[in-house]
Amino acid sequence: VTTNSFSRTLSTTDNNDHQLQQQQVEATTTDNKAETSNVTHELGGCGSSSESDLVHELSIEVSYEDTYDTLIFLGVSFIFGEIAYHCGIPPLVGQIIAGFLLGPPLANYVPFPEAMVLLGDLGLILLLVEAGVELDVALVKEAGIRPLLIAFTGSVIPFAIGLGITLAQGDQSVKSAIAAGACFSPTSLGVAANALSGGKALNTPVGQLIVASAVIDDMIGLIILSMLEVLILDNPPLVSYFIPIISAIGWLVLLGVAALTVVPHIVEKVILPRFRPESRPYVAFALLWLLVLAYLPMMYYTKASYLTGAFLAGLSFSQVEGVHHTFVSEAGPVMEWLLRIFFSASIGFQVPIKMFGNKSVIAWGFAFYVAVLGKLPIGLLAPKYDNNTRPKNYPFNPYTRDVIITSVAMTCRGEFNFIIAAFGIGNTLLDPELYSSIIWAVLLACITSPIILTLVLRHYNRSAERYLEKQQLDSSIVG
């Protein structure tokens, strides 16, 4: 028994040694294969997995379905805008409707919605650059301090109304009320400028007054947004509330003065004379974009609005000859499409359409619309531009026209209102129902204000055209 046990033990030991030797041989073979593969890869070849990873890194593709769906979305946005235009409604209304029908709020048909919003925001930047380039400095100087008064008054009144309505619900905190009131402070320069441009009033004195007021108004709204970022912190230091205000006002004064004095002088007297006359508009256009790329991060990282940087960069070239024409010819067609995407994606995608089936949401939404209407009285601050020079038989009072246009234009709501509301719900300052009520009121203003403004402008334009035609007819009869 002992001998047999020893034999079995010896046999087992031999087997184990043999298995161990086999494992060592297999491991050595595996290591050699790995080394051979590495050497082969270093010499120019690659293994199947390495090749697959490299191909994946170098190949960026999208599916046919995503490409086709994107084309459908762009086509529908264009068609809806054209239908709205031919119905006498601003095209942006149709584009917003296309956005919330096909976007995440309802059908969720559009691929890569974040990319669409990104493209739309690029359109907004271009719009603000164009607004700065087109700003008539002489007309703004003539308006004096009125744009500041209009912007400040037009921010405080809707903010107070929105805050009061939120507190009246009884179950909302003071922080929520502040966030809700802030959603109604800014006037949408994009929506207002789009409607004014369509009514051929953007470059008139009252149009430039509205643009200047809306820019300041948006800055106030963005200052409020920066202060909301402080509200979500626990026990923030007092100085945190003042940093956005100091930064925004400081940059506005410093870069605003530079835009009207230093930059035009350097560009026209120092830089452009170094180039041939036919190349100067394009050189100035390139300098404009360099300034945009410099101002945007400078504003953003100092807690001011990068969109204000886009406007100030454009303003710096408002007095440089040829820049406006070059901007319209080079960037105009691109901006037109990007703005379609802006209204359909950046605005339309943020409409919580499914929540609008809640009667409470709609009821409070109409209540919040009163905060939008709170800007109507500020039209009375518009100056009397050409009231003394109008003929006795002129069909309307220009001052009355300017008051109405200013009042309606300043009720336009859009991009910044959605941005503030999205920030509020994203940081739990607004609950879903309160957010949806605010969006309903803002969307209502997005639709009704440009429609009313377009109709008002069309009425006064037609009255002026009929008057001029009558004057020409009378002159020809007398002649």
Side-chain angles (χ1 to χ4, degrees), residues 186-188 191 342-343 347 412-419 442 446:
T187 292
S188 172
V191 176
F342 168 73
F343 289 113
I347 292 182
C412 290
R413 295 296 187 273
E415 60 279 2
F416 290 122
N417 310 93
F418 286 102
I419 289 171
V442 172
C446 277

Side-chain angles (χ1 to χ4, degrees), residues 250-282:
W251 284 126
L252 180 63
V253 173
L254 180 63
L255 298 182
V257 172
L260 300 178
T261 56
V262 179
V263 176
H265 176 78
I266 294 175
V267 172
E268 289 192 311
K269 304 298 183 182
V270 179
I271 299 177
L272 293 184
R274 300 174 182 270
F275 297 88
R276 293 177 297 177
E278 61 271 19
S279 302
R280 290 174 185 174
Y282 297 98

Side-chain angles (χ1 to χ4, degrees), residues 85 102 126 164 221 226 265 290 328 390 428 444:
Y85 174 77
L102 295 180
L126 288 178
S226 300
H265 176 78
L290 288 175
V328 172
R390 68 186 178 98
T428 66
L444 195 61

Side-chain angles (χ1 to χ4, degrees), residues 157-167 176-178 180-182 184 368 370-371:
I157 295 176
F159 176 82
I161 295 174
L163 186 146
I165 292 172
T166 306
L167 292 177
S176 296
I178 293 174
F184 298 99
F368 278 120
V370 177

Side-chain angles (χ1 to χ4, degrees), residues 240-308:
S240 300
Y241 292 94
F242 295 97
I243 290 177
I245 301 175
I246 296 171
S247 177
I249 296 176
W251 284 126
L252 180 63
V253 173
L254 180 63
L255 298 182
V257 172
L260 300 178
T261 56
V262 179
V263 176
H265 176 78
I266 294 175
V267 172
E268 289 192 311
K269 304 298 183 182
V270 179
I271 299 177
L272 293 184
R274 300 174 182 270
F275 297 88
R276 293 177 297 177
E278 61 271 19
S279 302
R280 290 174 185 174
Y282 297 98
V283 173
F285 184 70
L287 293 173
L288 166 62
W289 284 113
L290 288 175
L291 202 61
V292 170
L293 295 177
Y295 279 6
L296 295 188
M298 187 167 62
M299 291 285 184
Y300 178 79
Y301 289 111
T302 55
K303 303 299 182 181
S305 167
Y306 68 91
L307 294 174
T308 305

Side-chain angles (χ1 to χ4, degrees), residues 323-454:
V323 173
H324 179 259
H325 175 74
T326 307
F327 183 91
V328 172
S329 62
E330 298 295 330
V334 177
M335 184 180 71
E336 187 176 348
W337 267 105
L338 289 178
L339 285 176
R340 287 192 182 102
I341 299 174
F342 168 73
F343 289 113
S344 58
S346 298
I347 292 182
F349 286 1
Q350 298 190 59
V351 178
I353 189 70
K354 294 180 181 179
M355 291 290 293
F356 292 161
N358 188 329
K359 294 181 179 179
S360 176
V361 167
I362 300 300
W364 283 110
F366 279 114
F368 278 120
Y369 189 68
V370 177
V372 175
L373 300 179
K375 289 207 174 191
L376 288 175
I378 65 176
L380 297 172
L381 295 174
K384 296 181 179 180
Y385 286 108
D386 52 2
N387 200 43
N388 297 327
T389 59
R390 68 186 178 98
K392 292 182 179 180
N393 58 344
Y394 203 66
F396 57 83
N397 187 331
Y399 174 67
T400 303
R401 174 202 60 194
D402 293 347
V403 167
I404 295 175
I405 291 175
T406 303
S407 297
V408 177
M410 294 303 290
T411 63
C412 290
R413 295 296 187 273
E415 60 279 2
F416 290 122
N417 310 93
F418 286 102
I419 289 171
I420 294 175
F423 176 85
I425 191 171
N427 291 276
T428 66
L429 291 173
L430 304 174
D431 60 50
E433 286 196 8
L434 179 58
Y435 169 79
S436 300
S437 298
I438 292 170
I439 294 299
W440 173 265
V442 172
L443 181 64
L444 195 61
C446 277
I447 295 174
T448 57
S449 294
I451 290 176
I452 296 172
L453 181 57
T454 300

Side-chain angles (χ1 to χ4, degrees), residues 98-342:
F100 69 69
L101 288 179
L102 295 180
L106 195 60
N108 199 20
Y109 177 82
V110 183
F112 311 113
E114 295 87 355
M116 290 296 170
V117 173
L118 172 62
L119 291 174
D121 290 347
L122 292 178
L124 177 61
I125 290 174
L126 288 178
L127 179 65
L128 288 171
V129 172
E130 184 188 39
V133 171
E134 288 186 339
L135 190 68
D136 192 323
V137 177
L139 291 177
V140 174
K141 288 180 178 178
E142 183 181 349
I145 199 174
R146 290 180 186 270
L148 182 60
L149 293 176
I150 291 174
F152 182 77
T153 307
S155 296
V156 171
I157 295 176
F159 176 82
I161 295 174
L163 186 146
I165 292 172
T166 306
L167 292 177
Q169 296 185 15
D171 58 346
Q172 300 292 341
S173 66
V174 175
K175 288 186 177 181
S176 296
I178 293 174
C183 294
F184 298 99
S185 289
T187 292
S188 172
L189 175 59
V191 176
N194 199 59
L196 289 169
S197 179
K200 300 177 181 179
L202 185 60
N203 294 318
T204 62
V206 68
Q208 295 297 294
L209 171 72
I210 293 168
V211 168
S213 302
V215 169
I216 300 173
D217 198 47
D218 287 344
M219 288 186 60
I220 295 174
L222 289 164
I223 290 172
I224 295 174
L225 176 61
S226 300
M227 296 180 70
L228 290 179
E229 294 177 359
V230 180
L231 284 180
I232 64 177
L233 303 175
D234 294 329
N235 301 319
L238 183 62
V239 70
S240 300
Y241 292 94
F242 295 97
I243 290 177
I245 301 175
I246 296 171
S247 177
I249 296 176
W251 284 126
L252 180 63
V253 173
L254 180 63
L255 298 182
V257 172
L260 300 178
T261 56
V262 179
V263 176
H265 176 78
I266 294 175
V267 172
E268 289 192 311
K269 304 298 183 182
V270 179
I271 299 177
L272 293 184
R274 300 174 182 270
F275 297 88
R276 293 177 297 177
E278 61 271 19
S279 302
R280 290 174 185 174
Y282 297 98
V283 173
F285 184 70
L287 293 173
L288 166 62
W289 284 113
L290 288 175
L291 202 61
V292 170
L293 295 177
Y295 279 6
L296 295 188
M298 187 167 62
M299 291 285 184
Y300 178 79
Y301 289 111
T302 55
K303 303 299 182 181
S305 167
Y306 68 91
L307 294 174
T308 305
F311 173 80
L312 289 172
L315 180 63
S316 301
F317 287 81
S318 61
Q319 301 175 76
V320 178
E321 184 179 357
V323 173
H324 179 259
H325 175 74
T326 307
F327 183 91
V328 172
S329 62
E330 298 295 330
V334 177
M335 184 180 71
E336 187 176 348
W337 267 105
L338 289 178
L339 285 176
R340 287 192 182 102
I341 299 174
F342 168 73

